[in-house]
Amino acid sequence: MKDRYGREIRSFRISVTNKCNLQCFYCHKEGHNLDNNNNRYIKPEEFGVIVKTSTKFGVRKVKISGGEPLIRNDICEIIENVKDKKIKEISLTTNGIFLEKYAEKLKDAGLNRVNVSLDTLNPKLYKEITKFGDVEKVINGIKKAIDVGLTPLKINFLAMTLNIKNLPDIMKFCRNIGAILQIIEFIPLNEELKKYYYDISTIENEIKEKSDKVITRKFMHNRKKYIVDNLEIEFVRPMDNSEFCMHCTRIRLTHDGYLKPCLLRDDNLVDVLTPLRNGENLEPYFIECINRREPYFKFNKLKNKNK
Ligand SMILES: Nc1nc2c(ncn2[C@@H]2O[C@H](COP(=O)(O)OP(=O)(O)OP(=O)(O)O)[C@@H](O)[C@H]2O)c(=O)[nH]1
Ligand code: SF4
Ligand code: SF4
């Protein structure tokens, strides 16, 4: 099904918890919502029903996120329930601290690949950014995940003024271990964070010039992917980027059971857990969520078909 802006629905990002073992100063608290009610803790089989319904509207890829998804001790059961013949890929985004411990079990449960956040290899700076994190654990987790085949593994590098000097080291690391590098533009959530904003277009231009090949990821916000000396580098530039939003094919589920039409909005959620627990058909709730979708950064070429 397409939304009012002609955008298809292909991927479903499900937050399985709003809790995290780290406290990054820039955290979006993506899993966080108005409702902090334990009764709305979603069970593995409930994720299964919700994801199965989403496949009727075009979803073929599931991204599991948090908070930190690996703090749920039933994470493997969640993955087993989400598996469906129509779902072509299940991936998970993690801070990597518990990855070494879980990698093999996740793979056995049916997870295809992981994205790991890594803003620096420097232990001191890593701790400064994450408050409690030990970067050694993350590095070991990444290596283990590659060993067990949770690949292609992506490293998420959030480009900020305070870590941009670390980018060459991260590039070298990714090249050595065969990971894909995602360079993500930082979205300052408040005035105080604006000093960390770093415009990644200069780096993108440099990389574009050096690259051997450029690929556009259709259905993934039309993101550009560059290949430089065997290293794949992808740029994620959501800030004020109307093209990014125009090609957005994602819906989300909050950790407490609301369908979320857009990452950056909390005012248009659709409760799907209550109807699920009342034994209702969930399709009308998905239709409502899809109808509420709007590109956050609008582009004047986009036409609202209802107008
Ligand atoms: N604004 C916006 N940003 C997004 C969206 N999806 C992902 N991002 C950004 O991209 C970052 C990386 O997301 P990941 O969860 O690692 O996965 P992904 O890159 O979206 O997906 P894959 O490349 O397919 O693994 C997030 O931290 C967000 O900053 C989206 O729909 N809207
Ligand atoms: S690891 Fe992710 S969820 Fe946890 S605090 Fe950092 S940004 Fe937030
Ligand atoms: S900001 Fe909203 S509309 Fe834009 S890409 Fe992200 S989720 Fe999609």
Side-chain angles (χ1 to χ4, degrees), residues 13 28 30 61 63-65 89 91-94 113-117 154-156 158 182 184-185 187 217 220-221 223 234 236-239 244-245 248-252 262-264 296-297:
R13 186 172 174 118
H28 278 200
E30 199 181 309
K61 284 163 100 178
K63 167 78 74 195
I64 296 175
S65 73
E89 180 186 272
S91 61
L92 177 145
T93 297
T94 171
R113 62 179 182 92
V114 285
N115 290 9
V116 186
S117 307
K154 294 190 181 182
I155 299 293
N156 282 344
L158 188 62
Q182 294 207 116
I184 301 169
E185 186 175 46
I187 307 182
R217 285 186 74 194
M220 266 309 278
H221 308 109
R223 293 184 195 173
E234 197 170 304
V236 185
R237 303 185 58 189
M239 269 293 278
F244 194 83
C245 293
C248 173
T249 56
R250 238 174 206 189
I251 54 169
R252 295 162 188 267
C262 172
L263 168 69
L264 299 181
Y296 189 79
F297 296 109

Side-chain angles (χ1 to χ4, degrees), residues 58-74:
V59 167
R60 294 294 175 267
K61 284 163 100 178
V62 172
K63 167 78 74 195
I64 296 175
S65 73
E68 169 51 41
L70 300 189
I71 64 170
R72 272 195 71 153
N73 54 20
D74 55 357

